[in-house]
């Protein structure tokens, strides 16, 4: 009986082991993170990749495959992404799924391995400024050095990386004689060691890299990250700030608070939202903006102008600090201010708008003659009347009209007393008379 009980226990333990074994195998299956790098390389992309890399590390991924198809992008963003790639211990594979140009080529060179589709290309990595012109010598030199360092860090021949960024390198065998940048096809990249192989599709890539059968984890940007990438684009930023400035300017010329004000504040809200999601701005920049806005509003109630100026400075500072590049933000703010000024001129000159917001700050009422106000009695009824001078007019003096004494001024020179004078002009309190032979009216 005892032996049978022991056998039963052993059988149960054995069954538990059999059941547990496949589960253990399943949990032990490797994870491969498939992350896209498409469109422009910018700071919004960096925020997305930072999240993706962190998730891959937390889940002990075996490899990260970067699906690259990009025309390039911004050097500062590419540099930060390259630091993410260099910092991880996970195997990184650049899958050039068509083109890796400019900043895309730079990122591919930071990967442990590079694979390309048959019609893929890598190169054309000259650094240009925001206006599309070649960068200055300082920026060019730094970028060329970074390209070479990226190649050397993964044991690739650096001269080809240099030729991708420096048109002075002469490589006629690859259509890159002096004056032209190097762009390698898939076969050429493999020939010079810039590609580990050419694959037809993603499944071939997994087989080639011994990752077939792994658990593929596709990582896509969230809606907020997509929106942030759009908002933080250097082309979109000045447009967004221009909408904000124009909306707020129109609101200043409108009674109450309506659609233009909502439009302006919404544009500013989108600006800060996108830059905060992208990791460019923190809560401190948003707080700085709110404080500045509060000071500008307070200026409407506190005379002097200093509070308003300080608020404006804080708002401009918060916008500059929130941007990815200080010079780009200064240019964007300048464009927005120009748009605001043009809007003000159009509203005043062509639409005759008045600054309604000043109605509460400045006394707008005027005691004009058109409104029925006069500074003194205007004796226009005296025009053409004849009176007698009581005193000589030298040229000022006094005349008598009926029983009323009136201060007058002669038109010409001296007029003696007891002479008849006619009222010829009335200018407010100034009554001008001329000596006449007419008889005084009773």
């Amino acid at each position: 009986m005892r032996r049978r009980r022991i056998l039963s226990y052993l059988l149960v333990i054995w069954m538990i082991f059999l059941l547990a074994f496949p589960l253990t195998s399943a949990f032990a299956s490797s994870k491969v993170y498939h992350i896209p790098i498409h469109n422009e390389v910018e700071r919004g992309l960096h925020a997305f990749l930072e999240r993706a890399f962190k998730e891959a590390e937390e889940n002990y991924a075996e490899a990260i495959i970067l699906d690259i198809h990009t025309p390039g992008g911004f050097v500062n963003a590419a540099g930060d992404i390259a630091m993410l790639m260099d910092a991880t211990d996970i195997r990184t594979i650049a899958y050039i799924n068509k083109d890796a140009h400019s900043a895309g080529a730079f990122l591919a060179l930071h990967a442990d391995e590079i694979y390309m589709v048959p019609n893929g290309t890598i190169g054309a990595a000259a650094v240009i400024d925001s206006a599309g012109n070649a960068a200055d010598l300082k920026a060019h030199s730094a970028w060329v050095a970074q390209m070479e360092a990226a190649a050397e860090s993964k044991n690739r021949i650096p001269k080809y990386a240099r030729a991708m960024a420096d048109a002075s390198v002469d490589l006629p065998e690859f259509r890159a004689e002096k004056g032209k940048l190097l762009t390698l096809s898939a076969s050429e990249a493999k020939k010079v060691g810039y590609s580990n192989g050419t694959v037809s599709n993603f499944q071939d890539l997994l087989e080639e890299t011994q990752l077939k059968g792994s658990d593929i984890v596709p990582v896509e940007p969230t809606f907020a990250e997509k929106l942030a990438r759009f908002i933080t684009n250097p082309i979109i930023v000045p447009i967004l700030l221009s909408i904000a400035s124009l909306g707020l300017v129109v609101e200043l010329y409108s009674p109450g608070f309506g659609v233009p004000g909502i439009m302006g504040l919404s544009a500013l809200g989108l600006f800060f939202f996108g830059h905060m999601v992208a990791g460019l701005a923190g809560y401190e920049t948003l707080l700085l903006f709110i404080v500045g806005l509060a000071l500008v509003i307070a200026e409407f109630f506190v005379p002097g102008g200093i509070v308003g100026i300080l608020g404006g400075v804080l708002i401009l500072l918060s916008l500059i600090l929130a941007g990815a590049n200080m010079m780009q933000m200064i240019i964007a703010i300048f464009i927005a201010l120009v748009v605001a000024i043009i809007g003000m001129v159009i509203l005043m000159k062509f639409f005759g708008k008045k600054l309604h917001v000043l109605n509460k700050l400045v006394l707008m009422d005027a005691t004009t003659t058109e409104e029925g106000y006069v500074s003194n009695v205007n004796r226009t009824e005296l025009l053409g009347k004849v009176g007698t001078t009581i005193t000589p007019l030298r040229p000022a003096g006094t005349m008598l009209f009926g029983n009323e004494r009136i201060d007058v001024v002669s038109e010409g020179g001296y007029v003696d007393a007891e002479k008849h004078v006619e009222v010829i002009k009335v200018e407010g309190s100034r009554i001008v008379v001329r000596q006449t032979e007419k008889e005084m009216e009773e």
Side-chain angles (χ1 to χ4, degrees):
M1 187 72 180
R2 185 177 179 184
R3 183 179 296 177
R4 184 179 296 176
R5 185 179 298 173
I6 292 172
L7 289 173
S8 299
Y9 287 149
L10 291 174
L11 182 61
V12 170
I13 293 171
W14 177 249
M15 290 178 68
I16 292 172
F17 176 76
L18 289 177
L19 290 171
F21 181 75
L23 292 174
T24 304
S25 299
F27 281 114
S29 64
S30 60
K31 287 184 172 63
V32 175
Y33 275 68
H34 183 200
I35 306 172
I37 297 181
H38 297 164
N39 303 319
E40 280 194 337
V41 175
E42 27 67 33
R43 288 300 302 239
L45 176 64
H46 171 261
F48 160 62
L49 292 177
E50 188 174 33
R51 174 180 67 84
F53 271 67
K54 183 179 179 182
E55 185 179 325
E57 291 169 354
E58 289 175 349
N59 289 281
Y60 304 101
E62 181 180 351
I64 294 175
I65 297 178
L66 299 174
D67 193 319
I68 301 176
H69 177 46
T70 173
F74 298 90
V75 172
N76 53 355
D80 291 340
I81 294 171
M83 289 176 64
L84 282 177
M85 297 173 66
D86 294 339
T88 186
D89 294 327
I90 301 174
R91 176 188 178 191
T92 54
I93 300 170
Y95 171 44
I96 300 178
N97 192 10
K98 188 62 175 73
D99 298 318
H101 295 166
S102 191
F106 177 71
L107 296 180
L109 292 177
H110 277 272
D112 298 323
E113 304 163 47
I114 300 175
Y115 289 85
M116 302 174 66
V117 294
N119 61 342
T121 57
I122 179 174
V127 61
I128 58 176
D129 59 22
S130 57
N133 303 315
D136 57 38
L137 291 176
K138 182 179 178 180
H140 172 74
S141 176
W143 178 245
V144 171
Q146 289 180 56
M147 287 289 291
E148 288 185 318
E152 289 176 339
S153 67
K154 302 300 178 181
N155 298 315
R156 300 183 180 104
I157 302 173
K159 75 172 182 178
Y160 299 108
R162 182 180 186 88
M164 291 178 181
D166 187 356
S168 67
V169 178
D170 188 24
L171 291 174
E173 65 272 25
F174 294 112
R175 309 168 308 283
E177 56 272 9
K178 282 188 177 182
K180 294 184 179 180
L181 298 173
L182 175 64
T183 301
L184 297 172
S185 66
S187 58
E188 291 168 340
K190 187 175 181 181
K191 181 179 178 181
V192 301
Y194 272 46
S195 170
N196 296 79
T198 303
V199 294
S200 300
N201 49 50
F202 187 72
Q203 293 302 320
D204 286 350
L205 173 67
L206 294 177
E207 189 169 346
E208 188 74 19
T209 55
Q210 309 300 316
L211 294 173
K212 192 173 182 179
S214 300
D215 184 12
I216 306 301
V217 182
V219 184
E220 293 292 337
T222 63
F223 174 77
E225 288 169 338
K226 289 179 180 178
L227 185 61
R229 288 191 65 180
F230 176 76
I231 290 172
T232 56
N233 190 297
I235 297 174
I236 300 300
V237 169
I239 296 175
L240 204 60
L241 293 181
S242 296
I243 292 173
S245 63
L246 189 59
L248 294 176
V249 163
V250 173
E251 186 60 43
L252 291 176
Y253 285 86
S254 305
F257 189 82
V259 174
I262 294 173
M263 181 181 69
L265 292 179
S266 297
L268 287 173
L270 280 174
F271 170 83
F272 279 101
F273 169 79
H275 285 74
M276 289 177 72
V277 170
L280 298 172
Y283 287 106
E284 67 280 358
T285 54
L286 180 59
L287 181 62
L288 197 65
F289 174 81
I290 293 173
V291 171
L293 186 61
L295 290 176
V296 171
I297 295 173
E299 177 61 31
F300 295 151
F301 307 98
V302 180
I306 297 176
V307 173
I309 293 173
L310 179 60
V313 170
L314 291 181
I315 289 174
L316 293 177
L317 184 61
S318 68
L319 293 174
I320 292 172
L321 293 177
N325 183 284
M326 182 176 293
M327 185 54 63
Q328 288 175 354
M329 280 306 305
I330 291 174
I331 294 173
I333 291 171
F334 176 75
I335 293 172
L337 290 176
V338 170
V339 170
I341 292 171
I342 293 173
M344 292 176 68
V345 172
I346 292 174
L347 287 171
M348 290 188 295
K349 293 293 184 181
F350 296 97
F351 294 95
K353 294 287 186 178
K354 295 182 179 179
L355 206 56
H356 285 277
V357 73
L358 293 181
N359 290 349
K360 298 181 180 178
L361 309 179
V362 180
L363 181 61
M364 304 299 289
D365 295 331
T367 54
T368 62
T369 303
E370 291 78 5
E371 297 294 331
Y373 297 96
V374 292
S375 59
N376 49 62
V377 179
N378 199 337
R379 302 297 301 275
T380 55
E381 76 278 5
L382 296 176
L383 284 171
K385 302 295 183 180
V386 177
T388 304
T389 57
I390 300 174
T391 65
L393 305 184
R394 298 189 176 91
T398 306
M399 67 172 280
L400 182 67
F401 178 71
N403 297 320
E404 183 181 3
R405 296 167 62 92
I406 302 173
D407 293 330
V408 296
V409 178
S410 69
E411 179 190 32
Y414 176 82
V415 178
D416 203 355
E418 301 297 330
K419 297 293 182 182
H420 291 181
V421 289
E422 180 184 1
V423 178
I424 60 172
K425 188 185 299 184
V426 176
E427 298 174 337
S429 61
R430 185 169 179 266
I431 300 173
V432 183
V433 297
R434 176 192 299 157
Q435 189 171 350
T436 180
E437 298 299 325
K438 293 182 181 181
E439 293 293 328
M440 185 178 67
E441 299 180 11
E442 297 296 333

